[in-house]
Structures are given as C-alpha cells and as structure tokens.
Amino acid sequence: MSDVQYSFTLNGETWNKKQLERLEYERNLHILHSMKQHGIDIKDGNQTLSDDDIDYLTTQKAWDVSIDNRLEHTGEDIINIYKDSIKKSDEFWKELGFSQDKPMKVSRTEMKVSGVSLKEYMAMMRSMQTDDRVGLSVHPEHFICSVTWDDGQLVGIEPFGMYGTPTLVEVKMVPDEELGDAIKADKDPEYPIAMAGETFLTGGEVAVNIPFHQFKPTEDGFEAKMAVYWPENTPDEIVDGHALHLAMEFYGGLKETGKLD
C-alpha cells in the first residue's frame, strides 16, 4: 500500500480521490463524444465506437480510449479539426478583454502532499516535454500541440474551466517580477518556487489569463498554491470549474509519479 498522502482544497472545499476520479471519468466521456461530433472516428483498437458504445466504457477503459485517440490527433491535425470551435472561443475571450490592470477573478486550488518530494514531482512535470502520453494522462481535456519548457513556451488546447469550446493558446513563462501588482500581492514568501505565465490567443495579441503557481518543499513532501487570474466578467462557471481542472491536473500529475496505489 502506498504511503503517499495528499489533499486538494478549492476555495475552502476539500475534494477527495473518489470525487476527482469520478469527474475525470465524466470528462473523458465528454471529450470522446466531442471528438466524435467533430468527425473523429473514435477507436478502441480496431473497433469503431458509436456514441452509445462510448457511454458503456468503464473508468479505466475510458482513460485508455481517450488517451489513445487524442494521441492520434495532435498538433495541426487537432487544430484543424476544432477550427470552428476555436474560432468561437477566440471571439469569447476577445470580448472579455483580459488585463492585469483591471479587476480580476481567480481560480484557486491548494495541494498538500507527503511521500512525494517536490523534486520528484517537478521531474514528472518536465517529462511532459518528451512524452505526449504523460501530458494527455494528467487531464482528460488536454490536447497536445507543443511543449518546449526550455524555451519557456507552451502551445496547447483545452476548454478552460471545463466550459464552452476548446481554446488554442500560447503561454509564455515569465518571472514573478513581471507580473502585475495585484498578482504579486498574492506571492507567499514561504513558497520559494513559483511558475507564472502569460496566456494569449495565438498571435500573442489577445490576453486570456495568468497562471501563477507557487510551491514549497516540506520535510516529507511539498505544498502548492495554484491560481489562475481571469477577466473580471468571466463566467463563474469557468472560475469555479478551472479550480477543479487544476485539482484534476495536479492529481493526474501525482498519479504519473508512479507512487500512488
């Protein structure tokens, strides 16, 4: 039995393993239906799955089918398949008009872990650069375009907050000192490691959000404060949903360390 212990707290509410894994299951089914609606032939091995077949997938089978089919459609392929949905999300974010100088809403998720070191966890995160399957395994709604951590650039597709249609974005990693004053005010001096980024629609002219995640090692593990800052008129469904998205994503990363049961 694993000696790893962990907890996720979202705006004061704790989500446990059973809740997160049920949500993973539901989102795997959702993304498989979405891919099928966009004209992708969803396969389980050599068998083509109907919408009814998808709804009969068990939890682990849904993960396997979801990852395998997303691996078949990455980069320019998935961008082209979802081009109309991406156009809709582009217009959505342009209208919201993100700026760090305006009031912002925030998705917040806290994570506490014992039995896995921060070094081990960061190594897993970097493995997403060389192994697409890892990137797809940490969340059901991730599509891989490119990840080049060494250049401080990420390009990817996901429906933010598990709401609406997928958004194609570029994320530029930035040092803390380049963040706006409102975000820098959230910096906790007890957390010595931070990851921050500026997220834009492709082309780099329309800002979408700012992710700002802070980490501190502990005697037997680590703690993390994850946050994403949104335009002030972002629907609460996105703000609340993305706190859950973060919990699922970082829980997925914890599973990928190979130290859970």
Side-chain angles (χ1 to χ4, degrees):
M1 182 176 179
S2 171
D3 60 356
V4 176
Q5 302 293 320
Y6 54 87
S7 65
F8 290 88
T9 305
L10 295 67
N11 299 319
E13 181 181 359
T14 299
W15 275 64
N16 61 37
K17 175 179 183 287
K18 187 174 181 179
Q19 289 172 303
L20 291 172
E21 292 188 344
R22 180 66 196 192
L23 187 55
E24 288 175 339
Y25 177 48
E26 297 293 343
R27 300 316 288 181
N28 268 319
L29 298 181
H30 168 80
I31 205 63
L32 288 170
H33 285 301
S34 173
M35 292 171 72
K36 190 169 184 65
Q37 290 163 9
H38 282 77
I40 294 175
D41 184 17
I42 300 299
K43 295 266 195 177
D44 177 12
N46 293 323
Q47 178 188 359
T48 294
L49 300 184
S50 67
D51 281 302
D52 284 348
D53 292 331
I54 290 170
D55 284 332
Y56 275 88
L57 296 174
T58 60
T59 300
Q60 186 55 55
K61 194 65 172 177
W63 262 120
D64 295 341
V65 172
S66 171
I67 294 170
D68 288 344
N69 281 272
R70 282 181 288 145
L71 272 173
E72 287 294 315
H73 301 282
T74 60
E76 291 298 325
D77 186 18
I78 199 65
I79 291 171
N80 183 60
I81 289 169
Y82 271 84
K83 62 181 184 297
D84 291 337
S85 295
I86 291 169
K87 182 178 179 181
K88 187 175 183 69
S89 63
D90 282 354
E91 293 305 315
F92 176 81
W93 292 110
K94 288 175 184 177
E95 185 175 343
L96 284 174
F98 177 77
S99 170
Q100 293 189 64
D101 297 324
K102 298 178 182 179
M104 295 175 288
K105 292 183 177 179
V106 191
S107 302
R108 298 187 190 276
T109 297
E110 296 186 8
M111 174 185 187
K112 295 183 179 180
V113 177
S114 63
V116 176
S117 70
L118 184 56
K119 182 178 180 180
E120 289 173 316
Y121 194 80
M122 290 298 185
M124 178 286 305
M125 293 180 71
R126 288 190 64 87
S127 72
M128 291 190 293
Q129 181 179 357
T130 56
D131 189 341
D132 285 350
R133 183 170 286 272
V134 174
L136 297 177
S137 297
V138 299
H139 198 283
E141 292 177 291
H142 283 180
F143 290 104
I144 295 295
C145 291
S146 68
V147 180
T148 53
W149 288 102
D150 291 339
D151 296 331
Q153 289 285 136
L154 292 84
V155 179
I157 303 175
E158 66 180 57
F160 287 117
M162 300 179 289
Y163 175 92
T165 56
T167 302
L168 173 63
V169 293
E170 300 173 357
V171 184
K172 178 184 177 183
M173 309 307 289
V174 297
D176 302 354
E177 56 267 23
E178 293 185 16
L179 298 171
D181 290 341
I183 300 178
K184 283 193 288 190
D186 282 345
K187 185 170 176 59
D188 189 331
E190 293 186 4
Y191 287 66
I193 301 170
M195 297 169 57
E198 296 178 334
T199 304
F200 298 91
L201 301 182
T202 52
E205 297 180 359
V206 178
V208 174
N209 62 39
I210 297 282
F212 180 44
H213 306 327
Q214 304 178 74
F215 303 85
K216 71 173 181 180
T218 60
E219 184 176 342
D220 59 354
F222 67 95
E223 296 182 11
K225 293 181 177 181
M226 289 83 76
V228 176
Y229 298 78
W230 307 96
E232 60 181 315
N233 293 318
T234 301
D236 288 339
E237 287 80 3
I238 291 178
V239 180
D240 295 339
H242 208 73
L244 275 169
H245 179 110
L246 291 169
M248 291 168 64
E249 183 173 347
F250 280 76
Y251 171 60
L254 197 57
K255 289 189 291 183
E256 287 301 309
T257 66
K259 300 191 76 172
L260 302 188
D261 287 331

